Amino acid sequence: MYEASASVPLTDVPNLHSPITEFTGKTVGTRVGISPILRAGIGMTDALIATGGTAIAALGMLTEWGLKPEQIKIVAILGSKKGIENVQEEYPGVEVS
């Protein structure tokens, strides 16, 4: 998740107070949503891109809802070369990490 969130813009939040001092914090500068992929009726985040079919179907739904591919990141633990190529061919603006 660290790598996937590294490019998320942060905004300063000034004038925060702790028991010790005043400080400037950070907040996520844009809205972020997490959309787990359901496989075989099991609610879990899909950690594998084998053929890319499930990821492509999920991307189809997200883009139908109005998201642009450039707004979407796929986070997977494992991915076959062919599966990732299939996803990137269908949705070239989507980042896969």
Side-chain angles (χ1 to χ4, degrees):
M1 290 303 290
Y2 175 79
E3 288 295 323
S5 65
S7 64
V8 173
L10 299 178
T11 303
D12 285 343
V13 181
N15 305 319
L16 297 175
H17 301 275
S18 76
I20 299 171
T21 188
E22 185 175 298
F23 65 97
T24 298
K26 299 280 186 185
T27 188
V28 175
T30 186
R31 290 177 43 186
V32 174
I34 297 175
S35 184
I37 295 174
L38 299 177
R39 290 180 58 108
I42 300 170
M44 64 181 189
T45 301
D46 189 9
L48 169 68
I49 299 175
T51 65
T54 302
I56 290 169
L59 289 167
M61 291 173 56
L62 293 171
T63 55
E64 284 177 17
W65 292 342
L67 275 82
K68 297 175 185 164
E70 296 77 23
Q71 295 175 294
I72 302 170
K73 291 184 181 191
I74 295 178
V75 178
I77 295 172
L78 295 172
S80 72
K81 182 178 180 181
K82 182 63 177 162
I84 293 171
E85 287 172 354
N86 289 342
V87 170
Q88 291 176 330
E89 182 177 305
E90 190 76 24
Y91 292 94
V94 172
E95 181 181 331
V96 180
S97 59

